[in-house]
Amino acid sequence: MAKIIDDETMENVCILAKLSLSEEEKEKAKAEMQKMLDYVEKLDELDTSEVEPMSHIFQDENVFREDVVTNGDNKEAMLANAPKAKEGQYQVPKTIG
């Protein structure tokens, strides 16, 4: 059963999207949304029972490098710049009473 975009639905969309549209703009947007829904409904008619699910349309693998730490743990040098340090951590003033 085809879902019809009515005036009430269009008004709710405008409220949720915080849009202020003229009547002409609402009619145009309503027609465009109806076309989208009709297209999705048409796609639902396709038999995809023999199609293997996939997570992405491309078969490419991750081409990014591994996340490898190259500068190491330089805790002592970082703490040397701290105004105060306590037990190997930055010591800051208490901000909540």
Side-chain angles (χ1 to χ4, degrees):
M1 183 175 158
K3 171 72 174 155
I4 304 294
I5 302 290
D6 57 8
D7 290 336
E8 183 182 354
T9 303
M10 193 65 222
E11 193 61 38
N12 285 336
V13 169
C14 287
I15 290 169
L16 291 172
K18 297 184 180 186
L19 296 174
S20 177
L21 301 177
S22 68
E23 286 304 315
E24 183 181 310
E25 291 170 323
K26 283 182 187 177
E27 289 302 317
K28 184 178 178 186
K30 190 164 64 168
E32 289 174 359
M33 281 198 236
Q34 189 64 55
K35 284 182 187 177
M36 286 186 260
L37 283 179
D38 293 343
Y39 182 70
V40 169
E41 190 170 291
K42 185 75 173 166
L43 289 176
D44 281 341
E45 295 173 9
L46 292 174
D47 178 20
T48 58
S49 60
E50 301 294 321
V51 178
E52 183 180 335
M54 51 187 182
S55 63
H56 201 276
I57 60 172
F58 300 112
Q59 298 298 323
D60 295 339
E61 302 266 337
N62 186 355
V63 295
F64 299 107
R65 67 170 171 76
E66 289 293 318
D67 190 13
V68 178
V69 177
T70 58
N71 60 351
D73 182 15
N74 204 0
K75 187 163 111 176
E76 288 79 25
M78 289 188 289
L79 285 175
N81 293 321
K84 286 187 175 181
K86 181 179 180 182
E87 297 175 8
Q89 299 178 2
Y90 289 100
Q91 184 176 3
V92 296
K94 187 174 181 179
T95 56
I96 298 177

